[in-house]
Amino acid sequence: MGRTAIIGLALLLAACASTRGGKISYDSSNFGTPDAPKVVAIDDTYKLAPLDTVSVMVFQVADLSRDYDIDQSGRITMPLLGRVDAVGLSTTELGTVIGHRLDEKYLRNPSVTVSLKSSASRVVTVDGSVRQPGIYPATSTLSLVQVIALARGTDDLANPRRVAIFRTIGGKRMAAAFDLTSIRRGEMKDPEVYPGDTVVVDGSAVKKTQRDLMQSLPLASIFLAL
């Protein structure tokens, strides 16, 4: 394929790189508020999650006995011990891990009790073509634009015209698609995002193909072709 043909193809791809489409409907008229979160008894069946807060009590060691937030990497940071993996453990299991690590260097047979102070049920998950995918607090009202901003915006391969919100309504997992470009222009309403929602920004395979095509040509060749 000649240089001119490659450049022409790249320009054609650029023209259709950010379009609506996909199997998820853009009709959000029936996409209402999600089901209320279920109340779950906190026992050894509950596994700790990012953004949970735990209370750690080390008997007769006041400097270690306080509340700790589990960060997005799934760890708490304690004096003496540094970072301790917590996600996926029960409170009892986390207490055992902390006790063992303290016993290795600092305390003989420490008595450690861990309890859950607050759960991370009020969070939203952001995935797909954003700069910083992850789980973010949703302690106040958030719109789709605000949620994307929490994830540091869309990345270079994103198709902002195809953004899906997933939520559970009436016991069923449902989804609706939104055009972020139109929302930013004020042409469409910025929808509310609720705790428990998952937001996924579509990645454009067309943009990736366009980028790969342009990178396959030396810069000097592009100018010579023009």
Side-chain angles (χ1 to χ4, degrees):
M1 184 182 294
R3 297 190 186 100
T4 303
I6 292 176
I7 293 172
L9 178 58
L11 293 174
L12 178 63
L13 289 172
C16 60
S18 296
T19 59
R20 293 189 182 187
K23 297 181 180 180
I24 300 175
S25 173
Y26 284 79
D27 180 7
S28 59
S29 57
N30 294 322
F31 194 60
T33 58
D35 297 346
K38 295 180 179 179
V39 177
V40 179
I42 302 303
D43 54 24
D44 278 349
T45 64
Y46 179 82
K47 302 303 181 183
L48 296 169
L51 306 181
D52 280 353
T53 300
V54 294
S55 295
V56 177
M57 178 67 68
V58 182
F59 184 64
Q60 292 186 336
V61 186
D63 290 342
L64 297 177
S65 301
R66 59 182 179 86
D67 296 338
Y68 297 90
D69 294 327
I70 301 177
D71 63 24
Q72 291 190 21
S73 69
R75 298 166 178 168
I76 62 174
T77 302
M78 297 184 63
L80 299 180
L81 299 183
R83 305 183 79 180
V84 179
D85 290 330
V87 163
L89 302 179
S90 68
T91 52
T92 299
E93 290 168 339
L94 179 57
T96 300
V97 169
I98 293 171
H100 284 165
R101 289 189 55 178
L102 289 172
D103 185 57
E104 288 175 352
K105 293 184 178 180
Y106 306 105
L107 299 171
R108 186 176 184 83
N109 297 323
S111 175
V112 181
T113 302
V114 178
S115 59
L116 182 67
K117 183 174 182 180
S118 63
S119 171
S121 59
R122 297 190 63 81
V123 297
V124 294
T125 301
V126 189
D127 203 357
S129 288
V130 291
R131 298 189 185 281
Q132 191 170 315
I135 299 172
Y136 295 91
T139 56
S140 59
T141 302
L142 290 172
S143 71
L144 179 58
V145 169
Q146 290 172 326
V147 168
I148 298 299
L150 288 175
R152 303 296 185 266
T154 55
D155 66 20
D156 294 337
L157 296 180
N159 181 354
R161 292 191 178 275
R162 288 205 296 259
V163 180
I165 300 178
F166 297 83
R167 69 175 54 138
T168 301
I169 302 174
K172 296 180 179 179
R173 193 66 170 164
M174 301 182 69
F178 297 89
D179 185 333
L180 189 61
T181 299
S182 294
I183 292 170
R184 286 169 170 165
R185 291 172 178 172
E187 299 168 354
M188 296 180 64
K189 182 180 178 180
D190 190 4
E192 186 170 352
V193 177
Y194 295 89
D197 282 357
T198 297
V199 176
V200 180
V201 178
D202 184 42
S204 175
V206 175
K207 283 187 177 182
K208 183 178 186 303
T209 301
Q210 175 195 358
R211 184 189 65 183
D212 292 344
L213 277 172
M214 296 304 291
Q215 289 178 346
S216 68
L217 278 175
L219 187 60
S221 296
I222 294 176
F223 285 108
L224 287 173
L226 296 176

